[in-house]
Amino acid sequence: MIETRVCKAFGLQYPIFQGGMAWVSDAALASAVSKAGGLGIISAMNADADYLRGQIRACKAEVGELPFGVNIMLMSPHADEVAQVVIDEGVPVVTTGAGLPSRYLPAWNAAGIKAVPVVPSVAIARKVEQQGAAAVIAEGGESGGHVGDLTTIVLVPQVADAVDIPVLAAGGIADGRGVAAAFMLGAEGVQCGTRFLTAVECTVHPNYKKKILAAGDISTITTGKRLGHPVRVLKNQFARSFAALEYDSSVSNEEIERFGAGALRKAAVEGDEKNGSFMAGQIAAMIHDEKTCREIITDLFAQADEVLAGAAKWVR
Amino acid sequence: MIETRVCKAFGLQYPIFQGGMAWVSDAALASAVSKAGGLGIISAMNADADYLRGQIRACKAEVGELPFGVNIMLMSPHADEVAQVVIDEGVPVVTTGAGLPSRYLPAWNAAGIKAVPVVPSVAIARKVEQQGAAAVIAEGGESGGHVGDLTTIVLVPQVADAVDIPVLAAGGIADGRGVAAAFMLGAEGVQCGTRFLTAVECTVHPNYKKKILAAGDISTITTGKRLGHPVRVLKNQFARSFAALEYDSSVSNEEIERFGAGALRKAAVEGDEKNGSFMAGQIAAMIHDEKTCREIITDLFAQADEVLAGAAKWVR
């Protein structure tokens, strides 16, 4: 059993968060992760207060007193209202992405909500710690969906040196070796997204799971760099067309944005293998089976225990 | 003391290679690394046989019977002749970059040279093992200079699973935490480039060292993706102009290649801070001092010993 400040601070059996993935991380997935001893997280994505309230209540009905969380995408048009819903519904943990949660932190802290921003750099980690974050998720660019430039092995130790609150590592963690590596770098927990996308309890379209399970090591590509918000997805017709448009300066950024609009929903809900945006981390290649959330978590930490316990063998 | 198959196979006190950096890794740096217990490596860059022969002999004069290596950039116009020089001069180890060394491996193996290709993917690692490579360097895209897409935490475990020969991890390794993480992922050694660029014995222009020491976490950028060979460099006027040209489809790839020609020499030899290409890995931000190669290596492994020895503390 691995026990860290992350277990204590968030009341978890295992120091692992499940990433808040738009169109993927719903009450079904989040409750399964929380019941397995990790922190299940519902994605508020771009949805409104009613959708999130429904998901939160469905999750509570499943997990009872167990902790769970909500991920708020700060660029969402409904960010303000969902930021209030997590207070009204007494959500214990909120993770944030796509920006600084500065204007929500005072109210969340007052309400006893533990805020855990996803951070792509040292400066942002320092800032959110000053503003009252309970922990930070240092996410490397090998992860899926919206990504930063720094990779996990580079970002985690620098963030761990910069802040006193616990650091969770995200990006590139597929098995117990990745968990053990994250701990060596200074993390006290991990967040996994892609790994849970293929969980039995994940309600994403079967074609999405199929594509993750079939992915090879060089199956992902990062698109959107020209627009200033790179996104890692599995290579397919949509991804190749998007990448080509970025290098065509006769095409405006607005046209490119329009081309990408709705593509994640096409992938996650419709399973459209040609026109969907199948967001996934580089470790998709290391996922070979559909397992329950409980199997995913217990296997991950059983291997991590073994690897960490054996680490001293290298030292003579 | 950490001892692995890499120490045994290459006769090293510490399982570390110094990266072969064009215009940087000369006999002075390579001999200092080898005398400090690692494997110093001379870069053959795009130079001819006479240059490399001179560097090899200068290195031998310094290291005596200690092992050292040569890095051959396979796209060099002089690749064939330098591939023969390493045989004629009895170089013990050859690392290769920018392609598959297939056509040289039989002769190198016949000559007793240990070949260690830098690999960016699982398929290439498997191929070079079949062709007789003694080990592989799994290099993540966070490293400096020419980079692949997969990052260290994702590439190393997949390569370790795919081959039986020892795997060295490269990319993102700045201190003992990075070394320990690499071991957790399945590596039995590491290769560091940027860390040695600021070594006292490194003869690169002082402005280059100054820029590495001043770098922050988000100071690097990857350019050249459009050309099919991305390169990680420190942000400066040259890098920004190059990146802008890539998104201007009225500019041909040939024009962009011409724009970049000679820029690394400008950085490493002339110290031209505006027009030079200062290749560096993301971990430049973690390098705060100029140390001797001996200090770099002993500090790296003293911390790695400590971190690895303490790994079991997480397991309750």
Side-chain angles (χ1 to χ4, degrees):
Chain A
M1 273 302 302
I2 292 173
E3 205 181 327
T4 74
R5 287 193 295 168
V6 168
C7 299
K8 298 186 193 74
F10 300 95
L12 306 175
Q13 188 181 352
Y14 299 96
I16 181 170
F17 285 16
Q18 156 250 314
M21 301 170 275
W23 295 106
V24 175
S25 302
D26 58 7
L29 179 60
S31 59
V33 170
S34 286
K35 287 194 286 186
L39 188 78
I41 294 179
I42 296 162
S43 171
M45 49 188 197
N46 285 324
D48 62 15
D50 291 342
Y51 167 83
L52 181 59
R53 199 176 293 108
Q55 290 294 313
I56 291 170
R57 292 178 180 178
C59 186
K60 280 181 182 168
E62 279 294 317
V63 303
E65 294 306 300
L66 290 170
F68 69 98
V70 166
N71 173 259
I72 296 181
M73 209 277 287
L74 298 164
M75 282 165 57
S76 164
H78 303 287
D80 288 347
E81 57 182 275
V82 295
Q84 183 57 46
V85 169
V86 294
I87 295 173
D88 301 340
E89 295 293 321
V91 173
V93 183
V94 172
T95 63
T96 61
L100 274 169
S102 313
R103 73 180 196 281
Y104 301 123
L105 284 168
W108 290 343
N109 288 329
I113 293 175
K114 293 189 171 70
V116 186
V118 172
V119 300
S121 70
V122 170
I124 292 177
R126 279 214 184 88
K127 185 157 212 157
V128 296
E129 177 181 44
Q130 286 158 7
Q131 296 173 339
V136 289
I137 298 164
E139 182 177 82
E142 50 272 274
S143 58
H146 291 269
V147 293
D149 188 43
L150 297 180
T151 73
T152 299
I153 197 171
V154 174
L155 181 62
V156 171
Q158 293 187 73
V159 170
D161 287 342
V163 300
D164 296 323
I165 52 179
V167 177
L168 289 92
I173 298 166
D175 63 17
R177 291 174 294 185
V179 174
F183 277 66
M184 296 296 95
L185 296 170
E188 292 182 57
V190 297
Q191 174 168 288
C192 296
T194 309
R195 173 69 268 198
F196 285 110
L197 219 151
T198 57
V200 171
E201 299 91 341
C202 180
T203 59
V204 73
H205 193 287
N207 289 354
Y208 205 139
K209 292 185 181 181
K210 194 186 73 186
K211 285 184 75 70
I212 299 278
L213 295 173
D217 60 335
I218 56 172
S219 293
T220 72
I221 179 176
T222 307
T223 59
K225 275 222 161 119
R226 169 176 149 186
L227 306 174
H229 49 83
V231 176
R232 184 174 298 283
V233 300
L234 293 172
K235 292 173 184 168
N236 67 351
Q237 184 182 296
F238 166 80
R240 292 194 183 86
S241 306
F242 197 108
L245 287 176
E246 288 188 79
Y247 287 118
D248 181 348
S249 42
S250 73
V251 179
S252 72
N253 287 0
E254 295 62 34
E255 289 170 281
I256 296 177
E257 296 280 10
R258 267 199 302 283
F259 178 78
L264 176 58
R265 189 189 171 287
K266 282 197 194 115
V269 179
E270 297 165 24
D272 185 339
E273 302 194 42
K274 273 189 180 165
N275 310 305
S277 172
F278 292 83
M279 297 184 181
Q282 288 188 343
I283 55 94
M286 295 177 73
I287 301 174
H288 309 296
D289 46 13
E290 193 174 349
K291 296 195 277 193
T292 63
C293 291
R294 185 172 300 280
E295 289 168 331
I296 289 170
I297 293 173
T298 52
D299 291 356
L300 206 56
F301 285 92
Q303 188 186 13
D305 282 4
E306 191 185 322
V307 175
L308 288 167
K313 77 166 185 275
W314 293 111
V315 187
R316 296 284 151 74
Chain B
M1 272 303 299
I2 292 174
E3 204 181 326
T4 74
R5 287 193 296 167
V6 168
C7 299
K8 299 188 195 74
F10 300 95
L12 306 175
Q13 187 182 354
Y14 298 96
I16 181 171
F17 286 16
Q18 156 251 315
M21 301 170 275
W23 294 106
V24 174
S25 302
D26 58 7
L29 180 60
S31 59
V33 170
S34 286
K35 286 193 286 186
L39 188 77
I41 294 180
I42 296 162
S43 171
M45 48 187 196
N46 285 326
D48 63 13
D50 291 340
Y51 168 83
L52 181 60
R53 199 177 292 109
Q55 290 294 314
I56 291 171
R57 292 178 181 177
C59 186
K60 281 182 184 168
E62 280 295 318
V63 305
E65 293 306 301
L66 290 169
F68 69 98
V70 166
N71 173 259
I72 296 181
M73 211 276 287
L74 297 164
M75 281 164 58
S76 163
H78 303 287
D80 288 346
E81 56 184 278
V82 295
Q84 183 57 45
V85 170
V86 295
I87 295 173
D88 300 341
E89 295 294 320
V91 172
V93 184
V94 173
T95 63
T96 61
L100 274 169
S102 313
R103 72 179 198 280
Y104 302 123
L105 283 167
W108 289 343
N109 287 331
I113 292 175
K114 294 188 170 69
V116 186
V118 172
V119 300
S121 70
V122 170
I124 292 177
R126 281 215 183 87
K127 186 158 211 157
V128 296
E129 178 181 43
Q130 287 158 6
Q131 296 172 340
V136 289
I137 298 164
E139 182 177 80
E142 49 273 273
S143 59
H146 291 269
V147 294
D149 188 44
L150 297 179
T151 73
T152 299
I153 198 172
V154 174
L155 181 61
V156 171
Q158 294 186 71
V159 170
D161 286 341
V163 301
D164 296 322
I165 52 178
V167 177
L168 290 91
I173 298 165
D175 63 19
R177 291 173 295 185
V179 174
F183 277 65
M184 296 296 93
L185 296 170
E188 292 182 57
V190 298
Q191 174 167 287
C192 296
T194 309
R195 173 68 267 198
F196 286 111
L197 217 150
T198 57
V200 171
E201 299 90 340
C202 179
T203 59
V204 74
H205 193 286
N207 289 355
Y208 205 138
K209 293 185 181 182
K210 193 186 72 185
K211 285 184 75 69
I212 298 277
L213 295 173
D217 59 337
I218 57 173
S219 295
T220 71
I221 179 177
T222 306
T223 59
K225 275 219 159 118
R226 169 177 150 187
L227 306 174
H229 49 81
V231 176
R232 184 175 298 283
V233 300
L234 293 171
K235 292 172 184 169
N236 67 351
Q237 184 181 297
F238 166 80
R240 292 194 184 84
S241 307
F242 197 107
L245 287 176
E246 288 187 79
Y247 286 118
D248 181 347
S249 42
S250 72
V251 179
S252 72
N253 286 1
E254 294 62 34
E255 289 171 282
I256 297 177
E257 295 279 12
R258 266 200 304 281
F259 178 77
L264 176 59
R265 188 188 173 287
K266 282 194 195 120
V269 179
E270 297 164 25
D272 185 337
E273 302 194 42
K274 274 189 179 167
N275 310 306
S277 172
F278 292 84
M279 296 183 180
Q282 289 188 343
I283 56 94
M286 295 177 72
I287 301 174
H288 311 296
D289 46 12
E290 193 175 349
K291 297 196 274 191
T292 64
C293 291
R294 185 172 300 281
E295 290 168 330
I296 290 171
I297 294 173
T298 53
D299 291 356
L300 205 57
F301 284 92
Q303 188 186 13
D305 282 5
E306 193 185 321
V307 174
L308 288 167
K313 77 167 185 275
W314 293 111
V315 187
R316 296 286 151 73

